[in-house]
Amino acid sequence: MAAPALLLFGLFAVLPLLGVVVLSFMNWDGLGDPTWTGLDNWREAIDDPVTREAVWLTVQLTALSFVFQAPLALLLGVFTAGRQRYRALLSVLYFLPLLFSSAGVAIAFQALADPNFGVGTALGIDALARNWLGDPDLALYVVAFVIGWSFIPFHALIYQAGVRQIPAELYEAARIDGAGTWTQFWRITLPQLKYTMVTSSTIMIVGSLTYFDLIFVLTGGGPGDATRVLPLDMYLTGFRSYEMGRASVIALVLAVVGLAVALGLNRITGASRMDSQREGL
């Protein structure tokens, strides 16, 4: 029964990945015949200061995205898991950013962050009327904020589903024992959301390694190379510099790092064993 799914996975995932592995040892501009270069592409990619800076920017963006998204997504997910009527309306409003296209979001925030016609100038707030996307010291933080604004609803939805799976008997027993709201949150909600946190964190961190479309439209990697993260560096190397071999090296680095991070998180947190959190109830 699994054969069709495995066949499709092999055709559209494994086979292209093997092609990228082979291409990483070849010189190809996308038009002519590929030529074998051995490890030259790997050495050039490692020695390239732009690619090394892209690695560091990717690490920074991953950390910023996680620090910004994780706590807000958790709190929003717990809040919207309630049964009050107004929370249903707020859940819809919170979820809206996830429905917008990345290109649309990037264009909208470009307009909002414009130093001449953006929200700061429109409201007459000088502190906001800055060249947010044109300042190398601020651009990466703006990118992290826009990414968080776009994807916090998705992770909040994961937490909302996790909270609603927690047995109500635990909270009833805690209230009988005199536990307040914060005590219930720290002693019941957070421990019961352990595997939900692992899932959300894995998606969040691994997803940070693949951000491309939003950054491409929002900043194009600029100003200068201030937001040229690895996925964007891969695209620019392959389709602007026509160095498909070096671009394949960057793609393999992203794939290996993403897989290592996902496996590492599951091993460290023990989520791979997936013990039941309802055991003993």
Side-chain angles (χ1 to χ4, degrees), residues 244-269:
M244 296 299 180
R246 281 184 54 197
S248 298
V249 173
I250 299 172
L252 286 175
V253 170
L254 283 170
V256 171
V257 171
L259 182 61
V261 169
L263 293 176
L265 283 173
N266 278 269
R267 179 63 62 88
I268 292 172
T269 58

Side-chain angles (χ1 to χ4, degrees), residues 176-234:
I176 292 174
D177 290 338
T181 302
W182 279 107
T183 302
Q184 294 177 40
F185 176 76
W186 287 107
R187 298 300 181 91
I188 298 176
T189 305
L190 285 184
Q192 290 293 313
L193 289 177
K194 175 183 176 181
Y195 297 130
T196 306
M197 291 180 184
V198 173
T199 301
S200 175
S201 298
T202 302
I203 296 173
M204 201 177 296
I205 294 174
V206 175
S208 299
L209 301 174
T210 61
Y211 291 142
F212 166 75
D213 48 357
L214 193 150
I215 301 176
F216 179 72
V217 177
L218 187 62
T219 66
D225 292 326
T227 58
R228 182 168 170 156
V229 292
L230 270 181
L232 189 57
D233 184 50
M234 175 186 66

Side-chain angles (χ1 to χ4, degrees), residues 20-40:
V20 171
V21 173
V22 174
L23 193 58
S24 69
F25 297 100
M26 307 185 80
N27 184 27
W28 186 44
D29 60 2
L31 295 174
D33 295 329
T35 57
W36 186 264
T37 60
L39 295 174
D40 289 350

Side-chain angles (χ1 to χ4, degrees), residues 2-277:
L6 291 175
L7 178 61
L8 290 175
F9 180 76
L11 287 175
F12 294 104
V14 177
L15 193 60
L17 182 60
L18 293 177
V20 171
V21 173
V22 174
L23 193 58
S24 69
F25 297 100
M26 307 185 80
N27 184 27
W28 186 44
D29 60 2
L31 295 174
D33 295 329
T35 57
W36 186 264
T37 60
L39 295 174
D40 289 350
N41 289 328
W42 290 85
R43 282 192 290 265
E44 291 175 6
I46 294 172
D47 294 336
D48 187 0
V50 175
T51 299
R52 289 204 301 266
E53 179 65 16
V55 172
W56 173 234
L57 288 174
T58 304
V59 172
Q60 287 181 283
L61 183 61
T62 300
L64 287 172
S65 298
F66 182 80
V67 170
F68 178 49
Q69 293 183 57
L72 289 178
L74 172 61
L75 293 176
L76 281 177
V78 173
F79 173 73
T80 56
R83 303 294 179 179
Q84 297 90 334
R85 290 184 178 180
Y86 70 89
R87 296 199 185 194
L89 174 62
L90 291 178
S91 296
V92 173
L93 295 178
Y94 293 150
F95 190 73
L96 283 178
L98 194 61
L99 303 179
F100 303 143
S101 70
S102 297
V105 170
I107 293 172
F109 273 96
Q110 270 184 335
L112 291 173
D114 189 280
N116 299 312
F117 308 102
V119 65
T121 304
L123 297 177
I125 303 175
D126 293 336
L128 294 179
R130 304 178 61 178
N131 192 7
W132 296 98
L133 296 175
D135 189 336
D137 296 327
L138 297 175
L140 190 67
Y141 295 98
V142 177
V143 168
F145 172 80
V146 176
I147 289 172
W149 184 88
S150 301
F151 292 101
I152 281 176
F154 172 75
H155 296 281
L157 191 64
I158 294 177
Y159 282 116
Q160 182 190 73
V163 171
R164 289 186 174 176
Q165 294 298 316
I166 300 175
E169 295 87 347
L170 296 178
Y171 293 103
E172 293 172 0
R175 282 193 291 269
I176 292 174
D177 290 338
T181 302
W182 279 107
T183 302
Q184 294 177 40
F185 176 76
W186 287 107
R187 298 300 181 91
I188 298 176
T189 305
L190 285 184
Q192 290 293 313
L193 289 177
K194 175 183 176 181
Y195 297 130
T196 306
M197 291 180 184
V198 173
T199 301
S200 175
S201 298
T202 302
I203 296 173
M204 201 177 296
I205 294 174
V206 175
S208 299
L209 301 174
T210 61
Y211 291 142
F212 166 75
D213 48 357
L214 193 150
I215 301 176
F216 179 72
V217 177
L218 187 62
T219 66
D225 292 326
T227 58
R228 182 168 170 156
V229 292
L230 270 181
L232 189 57
D233 184 50
M234 175 186 66
Y235 170 82
L236 295 176
T237 300
F239 295 96
R240 293 282 178 86
S241 300
Y242 302 105
E243 298 180 61
M244 296 299 180
R246 281 184 54 197
S248 298
V249 173
I250 299 172
L252 286 175
V253 170
L254 283 170
V256 171
V257 171
L259 182 61
V261 169
L263 293 176
L265 283 173
N266 278 269
R267 179 63 62 88
I268 292 172
T269 58
S272 57
R273 296 189 299 272
M274 296 304 289
D275 300 326
S276 174
Q277 291 174 272

